[in-house]
Amino acid sequence: MNNHALLTRLREHLGDAAVLTDTDVTDAYSRDMMPLADSGKPLAVVLPSDVEGVQAVVKACAEFEVPIVPRGAGSGLSGAANAIDGCVVLVLTKLDQIVEIDEGNRLAVVQPGVVNLDFRNAVEKHGLFYPPDPSSYDWCTIGGNLSTNAGGLCCVKYGVTTDSVLGLEVVLADGSVLKTGRRTVKGVAGYDLARLFVGSEGTLGVITQATVALKPLPQLPATLVAAFNSTEAAGEAVARVVREGLVPSLMEIMDATSIKAAEAYLKTDLGTSSDCKALLLAQSDAGGEVARRELAALEQICVDCGADLAYATEDLEEGKMLLQARRVVLTALEMYGVWLTDDVCVPRTRIAELIAGCERISEEVGLRIAVVGHAGDGNMHPTIVYAPDSEEEFARARTAFDAILDVSLSLGGTVTGEHGIGRIKREWLEKEIGEVGIRVHRQIKRALDPGNLFNPGSMFSL
């Protein structure tokens, strides 16, 4: 391997300023936000500004047999963008153009480096709406959302990232450009390759452009909050919402630990009693009388299931204030230490059992565990808090992290609902999908990336 020759080639194609080798700089690009995931020392960090630059990087690295780790903003929580020793980290943030917004067909063409919130704001000016809304939407990029098939608070009504994808442009391992999908509402020509690449975590190719479907801009949301003195009652309310066919634009749950942390951080109470064990927050963006009927039906379900408090409001600022309690939970938990957040999804009828399981694990490991999540789709985020300077507590946090995954699988769930497998859940992927599933994954990987060029060791090993 001739690293000097590779770096020279990269600089010839991209320019000196786009090829970074100073370790003080490259270290900042070596990992994402997941503390459990290992990371290595990259040979270089490269920042191409167009698809031709991406092709040049891929061809050069393939020739010199140097692995590539594609990366966006680094907001991920699975280690899927973490460097390995000697790799080239391919940063896509300079491919940041909104190529097209087609109002008539309600679609847009966007590059991977565009920040999610910037894109949402841009299409909103045209009376349109891009639904995927990860919690880091104010700084995460579309490319990272595509690579991990990111979700968010609005998934219960609008789905995850892949549900908005019509087509992709992808640079393959030989440097060629694959164009997948369509611009039409319907289309079944050939394999659905776009969905194959969405969620592949950079292991099959480099996404350089996406065609995405847009929705009409929804009405301003009306909000409901309901407090319960047991998680079982809150879980039953969620199950009844599903059974009765109600589809709020948002439905979140907070356990007692999360509620107390948010109240302490915000220096207020949420109107709950001291024995409140769970809080449901829901919104309707249908507008007008339709929203009022939807919230009234949700409120009645909560009351029927034993809610101590059920309150609905059409006031936008009041709704934002109520939802703020959900949004600040992770920040609030930092009052007690550093946090390690898990990402599991269970059948919606078993949310209460997952919360109970997390309470049991918390007692067993002697650490605070708070559970918040997207009740509408069963995607929960148990978050473990530990002392930042204690290796012993960190080890217990890791034990709790794995125990939560085990509980999720035992409840018929999955080990990741939206963060991905990355480098922290590789063994859990095989436990979930089985030997045949892993074999098929490896066959697809070898077919598209025979030299194991892209993100080797992420998701699974060859």
Side-chain angles (χ1 to χ4, degrees):
M1 183 186 299
N2 190 332
N3 290 342
H4 177 74
L6 172 59
L7 293 173
T8 299
R9 179 82 59 83
L10 293 172
R11 291 185 176 111
E12 287 173 353
H13 286 296
L14 305 181
D16 291 349
V19 181
L20 312 176
T21 57
D22 186 328
T23 55
D24 289 338
V25 177
T26 59
D27 283 352
Y29 290 93
S30 67
R31 62 177 307 108
D32 66 11
M33 301 295 290
M34 168 47 70
L36 290 183
D38 294 333
S39 62
K41 297 286 187 181
L43 170 66
V45 172
V46 298
L47 295 96
S49 57
D50 52 31
V51 65
E52 291 79 14
V54 174
Q55 288 179 280
V57 172
V58 171
K59 289 177 181 177
C61 288
E63 179 183 342
F64 286 89
E65 299 182 337
V66 171
I68 295 171
V69 176
R71 175 190 167 94
S75 64
L77 287 163
S78 69
N82 283 15
I84 60 174
D85 288 337
C87 76
V88 167
V89 175
L90 175 55
V91 182
L92 296 157
T93 51
K94 287 192 174 181
L95 278 76
D96 59 358
Q97 299 300 305
I98 300 173
V99 178
E100 178 187 1
I101 298 174
D102 183 342
E103 298 176 50
N105 290 302
R106 292 213 301 256
L107 63 82
V109 180
V110 62
Q111 291 185 323
V114 175
V115 172
N116 184 293
L117 180 59
D118 292 343
F119 181 49
R120 289 163 64 90
N121 289 339
V123 301
E124 185 175 326
K125 295 175 183 176
H126 297 265
L128 297 169
F129 172 54
Y130 179 65
D133 66 333
S135 295
S136 57
Y137 74 113
D138 56 342
W139 66 289
C140 66
T141 54
I142 297 294
N145 298 168
L146 292 164
S147 292
T148 58
N149 197 13
L153 274 64
C154 294
C155 292
V156 57
K157 183 172 182 178
Y158 296 107
V160 294
T161 296
T162 191
D163 296 305
S164 294
V165 175
L166 296 173
L168 297 176
E169 175 186 273
V170 184
V171 175
L172 300 177
D174 62 358
S176 61
V177 175
L178 169 69
K179 295 189 176 181
T180 73
R182 62 196 192 280
R183 292 173 63 99
T184 54
V185 175
K186 295 172 69 178
V188 293
Y191 296 138
D192 192 347
L193 296 179
R195 285 179 181 264
L196 175 63
F197 284 95
V198 175
S200 63
E201 301 182 11
T203 61
L204 300 178
V206 182
I207 298 171
T208 52
Q209 190 168 277
T211 302
V212 296
L214 304 173
K215 302 285 187 184
L217 191 64
Q219 300 295 310
L220 296 176
T223 305
L224 168 78
V225 59
F228 299 84
N229 61 14
S230 75
T231 54
E232 291 78 13
E236 175 56 25
V238 172
R240 277 195 55 184
V241 169
V242 175
R243 285 198 302 269
E244 296 190 17
L246 296 172
V247 186
S249 58
L250 174 154
M251 186 162 62
E252 298 290 296
I253 191 168
M254 300 169 61
D255 74 347
T257 302
S258 302
I259 295 166
K260 291 174 183 175
E263 288 179 330
Y265 179 78
L266 295 172
K267 295 181 172 60
T268 186
D269 67 71
L270 300 175
T272 62
S273 63
S274 59
D275 62 347
C276 178
K277 295 296 188 294
L279 200 67
L280 281 184
L281 291 157
Q283 287 188 331
S284 170
D285 62 5
E289 185 57 33
V290 176
R292 283 189 284 274
R293 288 198 304 269
E294 192 167 63
L295 284 192
L298 289 169
E299 185 175 359
Q300 188 61 56
I301 287 172
C302 291
V303 171
D304 291 346
C305 290
D308 295 327
L309 164 75
Y311 171 72
T313 178
E314 294 182 61
D315 184 273
L316 186 62
E317 291 306 314
E318 191 175 17
K320 286 181 179 178
M321 182 184 68
L322 290 170
L323 198 59
Q324 185 186 21
R326 163 66 180 89
R327 294 190 183 277
V328 303
V329 168
L330 291 182
T331 302
L333 290 172
E334 291 175 357
M335 296 185 298
Y336 310 112
V338 295
W339 50 259
L340 173 62
T341 191
D342 216 326
D343 162 50
V344 297
C345 194
V346 296
R348 289 168 290 191
T349 54
R350 310 198 75 173
I351 290 173
E353 292 174 76
L354 175 69
I355 294 175
C358 291
E359 291 174 351
R360 174 182 55 78
I361 293 166
S362 175
E363 293 176 0
E364 290 174 352
V365 300
L367 296 174
R368 187 189 307 262
I369 299 179
V371 183
V372 296
H374 317 312
D377 56 29
N379 187 189
M380 297 290 106
H381 297 301
T383 301
I384 308 145
V385 184
Y386 60 96
D389 55 352
S390 172
E391 291 186 10
E392 189 269 338
E393 283 201 11
F394 179 74
R396 281 189 274 146
R398 177 67 211 233
T399 297
F401 186 90
D402 286 339
I404 291 166
L405 298 179
D406 195 40
V407 168
S408 175
L409 287 182
S410 73
L411 294 174
T414 175
V415 297
T416 177
E418 59 187 4
H419 295 167
I421 294 295
R423 298 183 181 277
I424 57 165
K425 296 183 180 178
R426 286 174 293 195
E427 69 275 21
W428 289 98
L429 176 64
E430 186 163 4
K431 289 180 182 179
E432 179 171 331
I433 68 174
E435 182 181 343
V436 174
I438 284 292
R439 187 187 75 206
V440 172
H441 274 66
R442 287 175 174 148
Q443 288 171 336
I444 293 170
K445 169 75 167 171
R446 291 189 184 105
L448 289 172
D449 183 17
N452 200 19
L453 178 70
F454 293 127
N455 214 359
S458 189
M459 292 184 76
F460 57 90
S461 59
L462 282 181

